[in-house]
Amino acid sequence: MGSQPRVIVVGGGVSGLVAAYDLSRRGATVTLLEGATRLGGKIATVEVAGVPADTGAESLLARRPEAVRLVDELGLGERVRHPGPASPRVLSRGRLRRLPRRQVMGVPASWWDLARSRVLSPRGLLRAGTDRLRSPVADVGDVSVRELVGGRLGPDVVDRLVEPLLAGVYAGRADRLSLPATVPGLADELTRGGSLTGAAARMARRSRQAATGAPVFAGLSGGLGALVDALADRGAADIRTGWSVRELARTPNGWTVHARQVGTGAATDLEADGVLLACPPTPAARLLEREVPAAATALGGIDTASMAVVSLAYPLSAFPAPPRMSGVLVPAVEGGTVKAITLSSVKWPWIAEALRSAHPGEELVLLRCSIGRIGAEPELQVDDTELLRRAERDLARILGVRGRGVDARVTRWGGALPQYDVGHTVRVQDARTALAGHRGIEACGASFDGVGIAACVATARAAAARLTEQVGLGEPAHRTNTTGETP
Ligand SMILES: Cc1cc2nc3c(=O)[nH]c(=O)nc-3n(C[C@H](O)[C@H](O)[C@H](O)COP(=O)(O)OP(=O)(O)OC[C@H]3O[C@@H](n4cnc5c(N)ncnc54)[C@H](O)[C@@H]3O)c2cc1C
């Protein structure tokens, strides 16, 4: 090994960029290969109606430190912006309703709050009340969200609250997502006895007590693309976009990576002391097949959901009244194509300000519609014009929006979100155990400890630290246990 160990990072989403940034600052010679022609993966900021609009991730969880700390470290602290006071609504039983005042991922912390929200029918509400009459759970085990929450509170709580909130994070289905993998705190709390509502109440109380008044979420003025640019600029990695890694093989001294240039088909073989995979589970599994087959099998078992985001700008006059909510969750049982609407310029005051300065004298509203969830792929198998038409139709039905937008943009996210289905925790553990048996190979990204950006940053930094140690650089690394918390 030379004086400066060579490391190859595969994937230029936030996870790969963070890992490359850390590894290069620790003294490795880093090459980052990204298959797409742009960096950022599921973070993308484009222009809609003359203002920056995030068409992938749009907010950072500020309650956990990793993402906001990185933003500060990169000198982006003064661009941090928080959401305004508007709250979201859920479309239920034909009307837009507030979420129960206290809830944990849609699990109500109080039956009275649930009743006041009017999200459920009287029958659904009565069923939810039977939770208190059921015997406590001794061991939650790896059960689906629907099995546990539906079993205790009834199907309506799952269909109208929990699944729409979880769908916002995973584009997943409650009958497949694992409760301990997606809401780990609640699964733990439930084993301490009492009802599910009681467990949610204890969690809600603790988070109220711990609340410092600091906002839970943060965005960046100008969009989250600034985080991608800063990571690429401040690190010292040699970043090559449009190079897709096709094969990975062990050599007597390290690893060789075979990559092809997208478009030209040109090929290259790169030698390295270490390789860090920061790509989605399917390509990661394919690359590991030959050298670490057990990790390939584990990661290959993680499914991904595809999505599309339709960003639209409308004149304020298209709305029956100025919108005051930050967004709308649309449960699958309410029908339609759109599963969530974010009223971006209501949620983020910096966007409203940007619209005002780009269009003086005109009042515009910027919003985005999220479409697609696991198992509903046919919804996405239409062209952009049709997807836009369906989004407009749902906006008319849900918000009463009339006419056409002044600008629109459709963004497709194929294989966007790893599914934390029942069995996920074991799959991740198996992948980690298999990788730990091989020197100079690590993996990180949204499949591991949470799909949110904060979780990706934490996992990438931990993987970079472990690899640093393996290739003989810098301070010792520690295996980090992170939680599956997501925004
Ligand atoms: C629509 C949407 C909205 C979201 N909103 C939020 C949000 O508001 N807040 C939040 O915290 N999270 C959000 N998320 C989740 C979050 O954005 C992602 O989980 C996170 O950005 C994933 O980062 P990553 O680097 O692990 O993976 P990715 O972003 O998927 O990056 C992996 C990269 O690897 C590349 N790649 C794949 N195969 C190869 C190969 N063979 N060779 C080279 N390169 C390869 C891909 O092209 C890609 O760029 C959202 C996700 C989506 C899709």
Side-chain angles (χ1 to χ4, degrees):
M1 188 185 302
S3 58
Q4 280 209 314
R6 294 151 308 164
V7 173
I8 292 171
V9 174
V10 183
V14 69
S15 302
L17 286 165
V18 167
Y21 168 80
D22 274 7
L23 283 157
S24 63
R25 282 162 32 100
R26 286 164 187 252
T29 299
V30 181
T31 305
L32 183 148
L33 299 170
E34 163 55 54
T37 48
R38 53 168 278 276
L39 290 173
K42 308 307 181 306
I43 300 178
T45 306
V46 302
E47 213 169 85
V48 178
V51 303
D54 282 316
T55 60
E58 47 121 40
S59 72
L60 307 171
L61 183 64
R63 202 178 46 210
R64 48 182 290 178
E66 297 89 347
V68 277
R69 196 178 283 156
L70 175 70
V71 162
D72 274 343
E73 193 181 320
L74 293 167
L76 296 173
E78 61 190 36
R79 291 178 75 154
V80 171
R81 298 289 184 276
H82 298 290
S87 56
R89 302 286 187 274
V90 59
L91 177 69
S92 188
R93 304 189 295 125
R95 293 184 62 167
L96 296 181
R97 303 177 191 274
R98 284 177 192 275
L99 294 168
R101 197 167 63 85
R102 288 163 297 165
Q103 43 86 21
V104 175
M105 204 40 117
V107 174
S110 140
W111 185 87
W112 291 105
D113 281 358
L114 180 63
R116 269 190 291 270
S117 73
R118 295 175 181 266
V119 169
L120 300 198
S121 65
R123 193 174 158 175
L125 197 57
L126 274 178
R127 171 66 182 85
T130 64
D131 176 37
R132 280 173 295 181
L133 311 175
R134 284 164 205 274
S135 45
V137 179
D139 177 12
V140 172
D142 193 4
V143 291
S144 75
V145 169
R146 183 171 294 281
E147 187 180 337
L148 194 127
V149 180
R152 298 201 63 108
L153 293 163
D156 284 13
V157 170
V158 178
D159 290 337
R160 299 186 174 276
L161 287 166
V162 181
E163 190 171 77
L165 277 154
L166 279 172
V169 179
Y170 299 96
R173 295 170 52 119
D175 53 358
R176 292 182 47 172
L177 291 170
S178 152
L179 184 86
T182 55
V183 205
L186 189 61
D188 283 352
E189 192 59 51
L190 195 52
T191 58
R192 301 207 171 93
S195 63
L196 181 56
T197 316
R202 292 196 294 280
M203 279 184 77
R205 198 161 43 242
R206 271 205 306 278
S207 83
R208 255 199 328 277
Q209 282 160 357
T212 54
V216 175
F217 293 107
L220 293 180
S221 108
L224 289 189
L227 175 61
V228 173
D229 295 344
L231 281 166
D233 293 348
R234 308 278 154 81
D238 169 15
I239 293 177
R240 305 185 196 172
T241 52
W243 281 92
S244 172
V245 175
R246 300 296 179 85
E247 272 171 53
L248 195 63
R250 251 191 180 297
T251 63
N253 299 319
W255 295 85
T256 177
V257 160
H258 179 73
R260 273 190 186 275
Q261 191 170 33
V262 180
T264 68
T268 186
D269 288 306
L270 300 172
E271 301 286 322
D273 302 293
V275 174
L276 198 152
L277 298 179
C279 49
T282 310
R286 212 178 305 127
L287 291 173
L288 289 166
E289 231 159 44
R290 185 158 118 192
E291 300 293 350
V292 197
T297 306
L299 292 175
I302 301 174
D303 211 348
T304 52
S306 294
M307 287 183 66
V309 170
V310 180
S311 312
L312 284 142
Y314 280 97
L316 182 61
S317 57
F319 289 78
R324 306 228 177 274
M325 71 286 273
S326 60
V328 180
L329 298 167
V330 187
V333 289
E334 289 289 331
T337 302
V338 168
K339 73 179 168 63
I341 303 164
T342 309
L343 285 141
S344 310
S345 55
V346 181
K347 178 173 177 181
W348 300 104
W350 74 262
I351 296 182
E353 221 175 283
L355 282 168
R356 276 194 296 274
S357 55
H359 305 272
E362 242 184 298
E363 281 195 277
L364 294 184
V365 175
L366 185 70
L367 56 81
R368 50 184 249 166
C369 299
S370 303
I371 297 174
R373 65 176 192 149
I374 194 95
E377 288 72 18
E379 282 183 349
L380 298 171
Q381 288 157 3
V382 294
D383 65 19
D384 286 2
T385 311
E386 178 59 18
L387 211 55
L388 176 60
R389 195 190 66 75
R390 291 183 190 180
E392 287 173 341
R393 184 195 59 197
D394 282 4
L395 286 168
R397 176 174 70 100
I398 298 165
L399 293 175
V401 177
R402 294 178 303 266
R404 310 296 309 267
V406 296
D407 197 7
R409 175 100 177 214
V410 176
T411 310
R412 307 268 179 172
W413 296 111
L417 289 160
Q419 297 298 291
Y420 282 37
D421 286 343
V422 171
H424 185 78
T425 314
V426 173
R427 280 190 276 274
V428 167
Q429 193 49 53
D430 287 351
R432 286 202 158 123
T433 306
L435 286 164
H438 294 260
R439 193 175 175 76
I441 179 96
E442 282 290 347
C444 65
S447 315
F448 286 85
D449 297 312
V451 299
I453 289 169
C456 290
V457 171
T459 312
R461 294 202 120 161
R466 291 194 300 269
L467 194 60
T468 300
E469 196 182 46
Q470 292 169 38
V471 298
L473 269 175
E475 69 239 36
H478 302 284
R479 290 221 169 250
T480 310
N481 277 329
T482 44
T483 68
E485 195 171 13
T486 48

